[in-house]
Amino acid sequence: MANLGTPTATAAVLNKYDFVFRKKYGQNFLVDMHMLEKIVDCAELTKEDCVLEIGPGIGTMTQYLAERAGKVIVVEIDGDLIPILKDTLGDYDNVTIIHQDILKVDLHQLVEEHLADRQKYKSFKVVANLPYYITTPIIMNLLEKKIPLDNITIMVQKEVAERMQVGPGTKDYGALSLAVQYYAKPEVMVSVPPECFMPRPKVASAVIRLTLYPEPPIKVSDPEYMFRLIRASFNQRRKTLANGLSNDSGLHLTRETVIEVLRQMDLSETIRGEALTLEQFGELADRLRKL
Ligand code: SAM
């Protein structure tokens, strides 16, 4: 099957199958060969890589991935796209098509099955033009499940990419920034304008690469507790940290306790969560846990 990365080639496939875009699945297909090359370059693939592509659409990017990686597994929710994928990817014997909701896939099992031949495939990577309506759950699922991934190269809404990369003191800094930065080094790689898609999305997009750390960059005794503190601080981001944390009934903390710990850390009692670094959240969690 010829390269699908142009509006004409994509339209021809869609017409052949009478395919109708489903908004509810966030379907915006890439139709720019130059941009497809750039995105796939960001993942730094070799024939020793096994790649998971989430939401392959009609298989446009999959063709590029299949050329460069040893093996590609695609997971697509829309049953109408499965016969199309079988057609467009028919020439590749290193592609496995799975018809499933990515949030329901047992990722550990998937990695185990496909990395069984460890002599051949040394690493596992994710590359995807993500459906924007579930970007955050997909990313959090990939990170929290602690599957042995090397990197995740994904196209997301530009604003979400920035949120993952920023540090304290900016308006975009929040629970997603801290969660991503605990597990991975985020790098925004390239901006992608709406013209590169069919149909065109209303927002600008960007490709971000998350390179997973073998060990988190900070040591914290109970990471889950730290993330509960982080969520509570950003749920009420206009409040001071002491008020935000003591208002969260699940944490059982008094305002005085939080202020005392902030003092021990040489932080102002009126500080807000958005001013704390990941390291400071880790220290706060360890100190509050010990009380
Ligand atoms: N990769 C294609 C491309 O770049 O042209 C399509 C990307 S499109 C933004 C998102 C794709 O994800 C669509 O094919 C959509 O059907 C699929 N999708 C949406 N929700 C999904 C889910 N929960 N699990 C798996 N695939 C999903």
Side-chain angles (χ1 to χ4, degrees):
M1 171 71 68
N3 188 309
L4 303 168
T6 64
T8 321
T10 295
V13 171
L14 301 179
N15 285 339
K16 180 175 168 191
Y17 287 90
D18 279 333
F19 179 80
V20 180
F21 285 105
R22 285 204 173 91
K23 226 178 170 178
K24 69 167 179 172
Y25 288 148
Q27 292 175 337
N28 301 96
F29 297 167
L30 276 161
V31 290
D32 185 304
M33 283 199 251
H34 179 62
M35 199 48 85
L36 280 151
E37 286 276 356
K38 266 198 189 172
I39 297 166
V40 178
D41 282 349
C42 294
E44 297 179 344
L45 300 175
T46 73
K47 285 285 170 194
E48 293 187 332
D49 292 326
C50 184
V51 175
L52 165 65
E53 186 191 5
I54 300 161
I58 60 168
T60 311
M61 192 158 70
T62 322
Q63 294 183 332
Y64 288 74
L65 299 174
E67 295 286 347
R68 301 209 194 166
K71 190 170 193 169
V72 184
I73 305 151
V74 302
V75 177
E76 174 56 60
I77 197 170
D78 187 345
D80 288 350
L81 288 169
I82 303 301
I84 304 183
L85 287 166
K86 285 185 180 156
D87 180 9
T88 59
L89 302 173
D91 292 342
Y92 298 94
D93 60 4
N94 59 344
V95 178
T96 304
I97 301 167
I98 300 174
H99 177 205
Q100 185 51 293
D101 176 347
I102 189 64
L103 295 178
K104 294 192 179 141
V105 170
D106 181 336
L107 292 170
H108 281 285
Q109 196 187 330
L110 187 98
V111 173
E112 275 311 308
E113 267 173 31
H114 293 277
L115 276 191
D117 194 355
R118 281 182 197 269
Q119 297 295 332
K120 220 165 159 189
Y121 306 115
K122 298 225 160 41
S123 69
F124 204 83
K125 294 176 176 169
V126 172
V127 183
N129 168 15
L130 286 183
Y132 293 170
Y133 75 109
I134 44 166
T135 304
T136 305
I138 291 177
I139 295 171
M140 292 319 299
N141 204 28
L142 290 169
L143 296 174
E144 285 172 347
K145 290 271 159 64
K146 299 196 177 82
I147 41 178
L149 280 171
D150 272 37
N151 65 37
I152 302 174
T153 304
I154 41 177
M155 171 116 65
V156 297
Q157 229 172 294
K158 197 169 183 187
E159 190 195 308
V160 178
E162 278 155 12
R163 233 186 284 156
M164 286 190 244
Q165 197 182 237
V166 292
T170 52
K171 75 170 173 32
D172 290 331
Y173 185 61
L176 181 67
S177 332
L178 286 153
V180 165
Q181 290 165 29
Y182 179 73
Y183 294 105
K185 179 177 149 216
E187 292 164 279
V188 176
M189 309 293 286
V190 53
S191 293
V192 188
E195 301 80 68
C196 293
F197 301 88
M198 183 192 281
R200 292 181 182 183
K202 290 199 178 72
V203 291
S205 308
V207 176
I208 185 163
R209 183 174 67 199
L210 311 177
T211 306
L212 276 82
Y213 295 126
E215 292 294 331
I218 61 152
K219 283 210 179 337
V220 53
S221 57
D222 185 349
E224 234 169 80
Y225 182 66
M226 176 183 75
F227 284 118
R228 278 177 60 197
L229 294 179
I230 289 173
R231 278 194 297 273
S233 332
F234 287 99
N235 271 345
Q236 311 195 359
R237 71 183 293 148
R238 306 200 129 257
K239 293 216 158 95
T240 64
L241 193 62
N243 286 343
L245 297 186
S246 55
N247 278 347
D248 187 301
S249 56
L251 288 170
H252 308 291
L253 292 168
T254 64
R255 198 171 165 273
E256 291 65 36
T257 313
V258 181
I259 288 176
E260 176 50 32
V261 170
L262 289 175
R263 261 199 215 111
Q264 290 168 12
M265 292 172 64
D266 285 330
L267 294 172
S268 155
E269 64 178 70
T270 58
I271 199 163
R272 292 192 180 147
E274 63 198 22
L276 263 65
T277 61
L278 176 63
E279 204 169 3
Q280 286 171 324
F281 268 112
E283 185 179 346
L284 181 73
D286 279 349
R287 286 181 184 267
L288 287 170
R289 231 354 176 198
K290 269 191 215 139
L291 292 175

